[in-house]
Amino acid sequence: MNRVRADVEAIIEQYGRDGRLSSESHALSEFGIWDRLTPGTLLGLALCVAVAEDPAFADEIAESDDTLLAGLISGDFRAIELGVEDATKSWDQIVARLVEYVQRPDASPGTLDVLLSEAEELWFEVLDSGEMTRPQVRDGEFGPWDATETPVFAGMERLDYGVLRVPLLEGAGMHPLMAGGRAVGVIVSLGGHAFSLQAFRVPAGPVWRKTLPKIIQGILDQGGTAEEAESGLGSEVRARIFVVKDGQRVLQPTRIVGCDGPGWLLRGTYGGPAALTDLVDPRAHHLFTQTVVDLSAAEGQADATQEITNLEIRWPTTE
């Protein structure tokens, strides 16, 4: 038995004994790591396999009050654990449901083993297909969206920051990105990572591919490292940028992504330990591709003859 499978069984045994995930099991699961198969990934996939194969079980979850779990298995990443100490609820639900499923009176002794084998096969099939690394931006299914368009997930709850309407992500912290005394973007805190979003007015586009060499050169000039790459968010810059932490200058792994829209450019910057993996963190993909850009909220902010202009957002006074 491989290590990942053994760890999954140890986690399920611990949960079945104690009724909740212990801190040791949570660490063992490696939730929040997206570039390889981890026990946490295998647990989630095993539950998805169970839901796909058992319509009655799927209906039971859909009809329950497990809204985060129901959202996760349907592809809504608001339910994903954020890597902070008190944000384990959704993963506890996943393990609880999986334990419930494999311990049903009519379940065979090999049910868990079968689910894990099928989940592993599913993981590698998806990897081999390239589905997890092919660009999925403004392709009819994913945005980012313009305010004149109807998003595929039109009913999704979004926070209104004027120029930017950003998906609500359960458990994430939202903060203004400040520059020159102006709020020019939104920073979304994701546990040990952060993802910032900024909108630019672009009179003559598309411009994102043209700006990549300038971004790379700017980072190199400041002593960092940077190179162009491709991922599920399209053309991007993968870099290590100097930031100040605890009074010390350190190189932080950083992914810079962008997407051209009608008259605008949306740029995202994802920083943290896992920022440079080939597979995009699903939370970052969800935030970026489901953000709506509304240039009508920026009227009077910028001269339309300028090449690229960073637009000010409207930060709620109640936050």
Side-chain angles (χ1 to χ4, degrees), residues 216-226 239-242 249 251:
I216 290 172
Q217 190 58 52
I219 295 170
L220 296 177
D221 290 345
Q222 295 176 16
T225 64
R240 294 183 185 275
I241 297 174
F242 276 109
R249 290 181 78 237
L251 284 170

Side-chain angles (χ1 to χ4, degrees), residues 199-217:
F200 298 80
R201 188 192 298 278
V202 180
V207 300
W208 174 239
R209 289 300 301 268
K210 298 176 183 177
T211 64
L212 293 182
K214 296 179 182 178
I215 293 173
I216 290 172
Q217 190 58 52

Side-chain angles (χ1 to χ4, degrees), residues 23 32 61 68 71 101 105 117 120 167 208 230 249 265 271 289 301:
S23 57
I61 291 178
L68 293 182
Y101 188 78
S117 294
E120 279 187 325
W208 174 239
E230 293 281 331
R249 290 181 78 237
L265 168 70
T289 62
Q301 278 196 42

Side-chain angles (χ1 to χ4, degrees), residues 3-4 7-8 11 28-31 36-44:
R3 184 192 65 80
V4 174
D7 289 347
V8 165
I11 292 165
L28 190 64
S29 298
E30 298 183 281
F31 296 131
R36 58 186 171 84
L37 183 63
T38 68
T41 306
L42 193 55
L43 281 163

Side-chain angles (χ1 to χ4, degrees), residues 80-314:
I80 289 182
E81 191 272 332
L82 300 177
V84 294
E85 238 175 69
D86 61 348
T88 60
K89 179 181 177 183
S90 55
W91 287 113
D92 266 36
Q93 290 177 338
I94 287 176
V95 179
R97 285 294 188 169
L98 196 57
V99 169
E100 172 191 331
Y101 188 78
V102 300
Q103 291 184 352
R104 293 175 306 168
D106 60 340
S108 68
T111 297
L112 177 61
D113 198 46
V114 171
L115 285 178
L116 295 179
S117 294
E118 293 183 6
E120 279 187 325
E121 290 179 9
L122 175 62
W123 169 262
F124 290 112
E125 283 176 8
V126 173
L127 278 187
D128 290 343
S129 73
E131 183 68 16
M132 297 178 73
T133 54
R134 72 172 178 83
Q136 294 176 298
V137 288
R138 287 191 67 77
D139 58 359
E141 180 179 0
F142 295 98
W145 308 99
D146 186 74
T148 62
E149 300 168 335
T150 301
V152 170
F153 303 106
M156 180 181 299
E157 186 173 359
R158 293 176 171 86
L159 301 175
D160 189 352
Y161 298 105
V163 172
L164 295 176
R165 297 204 287 270
V166 181
L168 174 65
L169 192 63
E170 190 74 26
M174 313 291 278
H175 314 280
L177 175 63
M178 305 298 295
R182 301 165 62 234
V184 297
V186 178
I187 301 173
V188 186
S189 297
L190 303 170
H193 294 78
F195 189 58
S196 66
L197 293 161
Q198 294 176 269
F200 298 80
R201 188 192 298 278
V202 180
V207 300
W208 174 239
R209 289 300 301 268
K210 298 176 183 177
T211 64
L212 293 182
K214 296 179 182 178
I215 293 173
I216 290 172
Q217 190 58 52
I219 295 170
L220 296 177
D221 290 345
Q222 295 176 16
T225 64
E227 63 180 2
E228 186 175 342
E230 293 281 331
S231 77
L233 290 175
S235 300
E236 62 183 33
V237 174
R238 296 185 194 177
R240 294 183 185 275
I241 297 174
F242 276 109
V243 298
V244 177
K245 287 187 176 181
D246 301 323
Q248 302 290 322
R249 290 181 78 237
V250 297
L251 284 170
Q252 174 175 271
T254 303
R255 172 184 242 125
I256 304 171
V257 299
C259 184
D260 294 293
W264 50 260
L265 168 70
L266 181 67
R267 188 173 74 187
T269 303
Y270 179 65
L276 302 183
T277 61
D278 285 338
L279 304 185
V280 176
D281 182 334
R283 300 167 301 177
H285 189 275
H286 177 74
L287 286 165
F288 191 72
T289 62
Q290 294 305 327
T291 287
V292 174
V293 179
D294 184 1
L295 286 183
S296 70
E299 290 181 1
Q301 278 196 42
D303 183 349
T305 63
Q306 295 183 29
E307 183 180 351
I308 300 178
T309 306
N310 194 185
L311 298 174
E312 189 172 355
I313 66 166
R314 181 178 65 241

